Amino acid sequence: MDVKEGSGVSSDNFRSIRYAINFAAKIAANHHYDMYPKSELERLFNKYDDRYWPSLPEIIDAIGANAEHAEIYVVDEVTEVGTQSQRASSVDCVNAFYQLVQLATHHDAAMLKKVFSLPNGEIATLLNIVYDWKDEKTLSTEQLKNYKSRYKKNMDVR
């Protein structure tokens, strides 16, 4: 900023948080920002000189400090099922899939039975595609059969 004001040299870098916010909204195509808070925020930014706002390095430092002390926790049942073990594996993904199916069909027992009666090969193929498992990670029909059996025992699904 000092270079720009004292010479014929300029830079595209953000000079304050206002430019970073506007650019982030633009690249995200966040039309809600343009329609609602942008004009009010611009009025507020125009009311005070940039020196009254935290600098970008200060904001980045604050984000880093927040991230360093952030607690991570699970907010839904499917994620909890999929992350229960110390080392994530295909069994966690299969359990999360069946948990999601169970939650999605909790009012429709007939639908749940239909999903559980789908051929294991079809479900294994679906999960291999969804999780993009390849080669040694590919879920076999036999593995799925075993995982499904364990899931039914643990969740008492009949």
Side-chain angles (χ1 to χ4, degrees):
M1 193 162 156
D2 293 334
V3 172
K4 181 181 180 207
E5 291 176 3
S7 73
V9 177
S10 184
S11 170
D12 293 11
N13 291 352
F14 299 135
R15 293 190 314 262
S16 76
I17 188 65
R18 84 186 314 164
Y19 302 107
I21 292 170
N22 286 330
F23 185 72
K26 180 180 177 181
I27 62 172
N30 184 342
H31 303 293
H32 295 290
Y33 172 76
D34 289 335
M35 291 171 42
Y36 300 105
K38 183 178 180 178
S39 60
E40 289 182 48
L41 206 54
E42 285 297 320
R43 266 195 303 279
L44 190 59
F45 278 122
N46 290 333
K47 187 175 180 178
Y48 299 98
D49 189 70
D50 284 349
R51 69 175 178 237
Y52 292 101
W53 299 96
S55 69
L56 285 176
E58 291 168 338
I59 292 168
I60 292 167
D61 286 345
I63 291 169
N66 176 265
E68 188 175 26
H69 301 292
E71 287 189 40
I72 298 171
Y73 49 90
V74 176
V75 294
D76 62 57
E77 295 176 42
V78 175
T79 304
E80 184 174 10
V81 169
T83 59
Q84 282 179 343
S85 66
Q86 293 285 5
R87 212 178 93 221
S89 68
S90 57
V91 72
D92 298 316
C93 295
V94 170
N95 285 341
F97 169 75
Y98 281 117
Q99 180 70 26
L100 184 60
V101 167
Q102 192 171 11
L103 288 172
T105 59
H106 75 282
H107 293 298
D108 188 353
M111 179 61 78
L112 185 62
K113 287 182 182 181
K114 285 179 186 176
V115 172
F116 275 99
S117 67
L118 285 172
N120 292 330
E122 290 179 16
I123 295 174
T125 300
L126 172 71
L127 293 175
N128 285 325
I129 292 168
V130 168
Y131 290 113
D132 198 24
W133 287 327
K134 292 181 177 62
D135 303 326
E136 72 278 348
K137 284 183 141 187
T138 301
L139 181 65
S140 71
T141 302
E142 192 60 36
Q143 285 175 303
L144 182 77
K145 181 180 169 185
N146 293 335
Y147 296 165
K148 186 170 152 181
S149 173
R150 274 193 261 166
Y151 180 83
K152 282 182 173 182
K153 285 179 190 171
N154 289 341
M155 299 309 244
D156 195 30
V157 174
R158 303 215 192 310

